[in-house]
Amino acid sequence: MSARTPYVLKGDTGDWEVVMGLEIHAQVASNAKLFSGASTEFGADPNCNVSLVDAAMPGMLPVINRKCVEQAVRTGLGLKAEINHYSRFDRKNYFYPDLPQGYQISQFAHPIVGEGEIEVDVEPAHGGEAYSFTCRIERLHLEQDAGKSIHDMDPNSTYVDLNRSGVALMEIVSKPDVRSPAEAAAYVKKLRAIVIALGTCDGDMDKGNLRADVNVSVCRPGQYEKFRETGDFGHLGTRCELKNMNSFRFIQQAIEYEARRQIEIIEGGGTVDQETRLFDPVKVETRSMRSKEDAHDYRYFPDPDLLPLEIEQAWIDEIRASLPELPDEKRARFESEYGISHYDAGVLIADADKAAYFETVAKGRDAKLAANWVTQELFGYLNKEGLELGDSPVSADALGGLIALISDDTISGKIAKDVFARMIAGEGEAAAIVEKHGLKQVTDTGAIEKVVDEIIAANPEQVEKVKDKPQTLGWFVGQVMKASGGKANPKAVNEILKAKLGV
């Protein structure tokens, strides 16, 4: 892994850097809502999963869902964060048609989870190399989601669906430690992998179950370091919030556009307004949604209908003891147990299904070879076809069978690619394909020697050339492989050629 280098944008008046903090809204994996027993099932008919509490009917009182509290604590432990023994719910006042109460029950001064951190691996981007950085977590708090306003059913009316109203969310707020579009996407990916591994959120971004608000500002080189030293936000530019981002690609595109928009305003003598903006993926641009509110605009005050949460250390310890293997731990195990690279391990632990698939392929086989085939051949095919791992036409056991044939020299790596293509096409298991098409590798040294002798005899000029330039031996290897239909064992071919040509 290389060192972290600044992501620099060129402006008319000099260089600029980007500084970001992210707020991730992760829907808590729970069958019931945060303060009612209504279902959280996705896809129900409009306004079917709505209790009297969710609809804010007079006299209805919220009751905290213990499971949601447990999931928040569990997530905090997975983020190596401080679990606060005392926390409190507050009312955050604002008006939306899909917010029946006229306020949101959230947490302000006393969140359930305090400061933590996660290690984020960034894949190569912008001509750079892979690297990692630590992103500090400022807090995690619980809050209820709003409903959904639907604007496209009638040209003159807005419809409201309250199925989502009251669903439990974990808002995970980072420090402004993210410095590039690639880092922002990598941070969301890592956090998503953690909550999925913990079982506290399903991470389904298509359904909006995990979405990001990205606070973007720009500054001159060196200003961020001054901010880190002093904590003075005056060293950073005015931030704008990009709301409800649910795609890694869109996150990067939106940040790139927004940073350049702010630079253009500043260099033109203007002032960046603090506001919330939406990203238009069709036009690939951000547009103003509303002015950005500060805490005092929401008039936070303790919710009088809910007692403070007091969490005992014994319960925290019990939850900690039940934590599964987390992505960082799994990555370290893959590196030590299977001897694969840090990068490949990172790709494989990106989600639980990928990790499980690899372990099935690698069990009792050449793990490095298995990693190469899973990350390059299989994932390459799936990406090209736009398929998910669950849609793969080649099962983990079937790919493992192919790896075994390569390892015991039944087939060469080149022939294996042909066999893999036939497996994708539905011809069956690797061993059956090899047998049916006569693709077994030729390991009989006598048969290989015969082909080698014929090639040498037919090419005396090339024989003389290889004596002066041993690196041209590859030409002979290619000719032998071609003559054998790719079935000759490459290692044996090389050894025989070197012996006979004296190189």
Side-chain angles (χ1 to χ4, degrees):
M1 302 289 280
S2 66
R4 187 187 193 189
T5 55
Y7 172 71
V8 177
L9 292 172
K10 300 290 183 182
D12 293 336
T13 62
D15 292 344
W16 296 86
E17 294 180 0
V18 186
V19 180
M20 288 166 285
L22 281 80
E23 301 165 10
I24 305 296
H25 291 86
Q27 180 174 319
V28 176
S30 168
N31 293 328
K33 296 182 180 180
L34 184 55
F35 298 115
S36 81
S39 172
T40 59
E41 181 186 5
F42 181 83
D45 289 338
N47 297 305
C48 287
N49 296 341
V50 186
S51 74
L52 296 176
V53 172
D54 307 323
M57 291 296 158
M60 296 297 103
L61 297 177
V63 178
I64 188 70
N65 181 338
R66 178 184 174 93
K67 178 66 175 182
C68 294
V69 175
E70 179 183 343
Q71 295 287 57
V73 172
R74 194 175 180 82
T75 303
L77 292 172
L79 297 175
K80 303 182 180 70
E82 177 186 2
I83 308 301
N84 294 322
H85 292 265
Y86 173 93
S87 64
R88 188 184 73 199
F89 285 99
D90 302 281
R91 289 188 180 180
K92 181 181 182 181
N93 296 275
Y94 59 94
F95 174 78
Y96 280 128
D98 52 20
L99 191 67
Q101 296 153 313
Y103 59 84
Q104 178 190 41
I105 302 178
S106 183
Q107 293 185 305
F108 178 53
H110 299 281
I112 191 167
V113 176
E115 294 187 352
E117 65 179 34
I118 61 175
E119 192 73 14
V120 181
D121 294 302
V122 185
E123 297 177 5
H126 310 295
E129 298 180 1
Y131 64 93
S132 64
F133 73 99
T134 300
C135 186
R136 296 169 298 163
I137 302 299
E138 182 174 307
R139 57 188 280 144
L140 178 156
H141 63 261
L142 281 169
E143 63 184 21
Q144 58 180 178
D145 205 348
K148 181 180 180 181
S149 294
I150 304 168
H151 307 290
D152 56 2
M153 291 180 65
D154 188 294
N156 303 310
S157 303
T158 292
Y159 289 77
V160 175
D161 178 7
L162 295 181
N163 279 347
R164 204 170 62 188
S165 178
V167 167
L169 298 177
M170 296 179 289
E171 181 171 341
I172 304 165
V173 183
S174 83
K175 300 276 190 180
D177 290 345
V178 181
R179 306 298 312 282
S180 76
E183 287 188 3
Y187 168 79
V188 178
K189 285 180 183 178
K190 181 60 176 289
L191 202 148
R192 178 176 179 270
I194 291 173
V195 296
I196 290 174
L198 289 167
T200 57
C201 173
D202 66 13
D204 192 329
M205 299 177 75
D206 290 334
K207 294 178 181 176
N209 294 353
L210 189 140
R211 51 194 189 267
D213 297 342
V214 187
N215 291 287
V216 180
S217 65
V218 297
C219 64
R220 293 295 190 180
Q223 293 299 101
Y224 175 75
E225 285 69 27
K226 290 182 180 178
F227 155 71
R228 286 297 298 266
E229 291 173 7
T230 65
D232 182 2
F233 279 92
H235 293 295
L236 307 180
T238 301
R239 74 186 189 277
C240 290
E241 181 184 50
L242 306 179
K243 194 72 175 173
N244 288 335
M245 309 293 297
N246 66 343
S247 157
F248 302 124
R249 181 164 62 91
F250 292 165
I251 286 172
Q252 296 187 73
Q253 290 177 339
I255 292 167
E256 184 82 24
Y257 176 88
E258 178 59 23
R260 293 189 184 279
R261 186 190 72 86
Q262 293 183 22
I263 291 169
E264 186 176 330
I265 290 172
I266 297 169
E267 292 189 329
T271 301
V272 175
D273 294 325
Q274 182 175 326
E275 61 182 349
T276 298
R277 299 179 68 85
L278 295 176
F279 177 64
D280 185 332
V282 177
K283 296 182 178 180
V284 194
E285 65 183 23
T286 64
R287 65 175 185 269
S288 181
M289 177 183 177
R290 64 174 182 267
S291 60
K292 174 66 176 172
E293 298 92 346
D294 288 313
H296 62 267
D297 295 316
Y298 292 121
R299 295 181 293 112
Y300 282 100
F301 65 87
D303 191 299
D305 294 331
L306 289 162
L307 292 171
L309 283 174
E310 295 186 2
I311 301 175
E312 296 180 351
Q313 185 61 44
W315 192 41
I316 296 173
D317 293 340
E318 182 183 325
I319 296 171
R320 190 193 306 275
S322 70
L323 293 182
E325 184 179 46
L326 294 173
D328 284 347
E329 298 164 355
K330 191 183 294 290
R331 184 176 202 160
R333 179 172 66 81
F334 275 21
E335 289 180 47
S336 62
E337 186 175 323
Y338 296 113
I340 61 178
S341 71
H342 186 76
Y343 178 79
D344 281 347
V347 172
L348 292 167
I349 60 95
D351 65 54
D353 290 340
K354 287 181 179 180
Y357 187 101
F358 164 72
E359 293 212 78
T360 299
V361 175
K363 188 175 182 180
R365 304 184 178 99
D366 184 328
K368 290 183 179 179
L369 186 61
N372 287 337
W373 271 85
V374 171
T375 59
Q376 295 175 27
E377 301 300 329
L378 179 71
F379 290 172
Y381 165 76
L382 295 177
N383 290 337
K384 181 181 177 182
E385 298 298 322
L387 298 174
E388 297 295 328
L389 183 59
D391 301 318
S392 172
V394 180
S395 70
D397 286 326
L399 185 56
L402 178 62
I403 301 299
L405 295 179
I406 302 170
S407 298
D408 66 10
D409 287 334
T410 298
I411 57 176
S412 66
K414 184 176 180 180
I415 291 175
K417 292 186 179 183
D418 177 46
V419 175
F420 183 65
R422 294 175 183 275
M423 293 170 72
I424 289 173
E427 290 192 27
E429 299 288 314
I433 292 171
V434 169
E435 191 66 36
K436 177 181 177 181
H437 295 281
L439 298 175
K440 285 186 178 179
Q441 188 167 234
V442 177
T443 54
D444 180 356
T445 55
I448 296 173
E449 277 194 63
K450 183 179 178 182
V451 176
V452 168
D453 289 340
E454 290 173 356
I455 299 295
I456 291 175
N459 296 278
E461 293 181 3
Q462 199 69 29
V463 171
E464 291 302 316
K465 187 184 292 185
V466 80
K467 291 178 180 178
D468 297 328
K469 296 181 179 179
Q471 62 268 30
T472 61
L473 182 72
W475 182 87
F476 280 98
V477 174
Q479 293 300 307
V480 175
M481 296 304 294
K482 182 179 178 180
S484 67
K487 297 178 184 178
N489 183 302
K491 183 179 179 181
V493 170
N494 271 277
E495 290 175 352
I496 292 169
L497 280 169
K498 286 178 181 179
K500 288 186 175 288
L501 295 172
V503 297

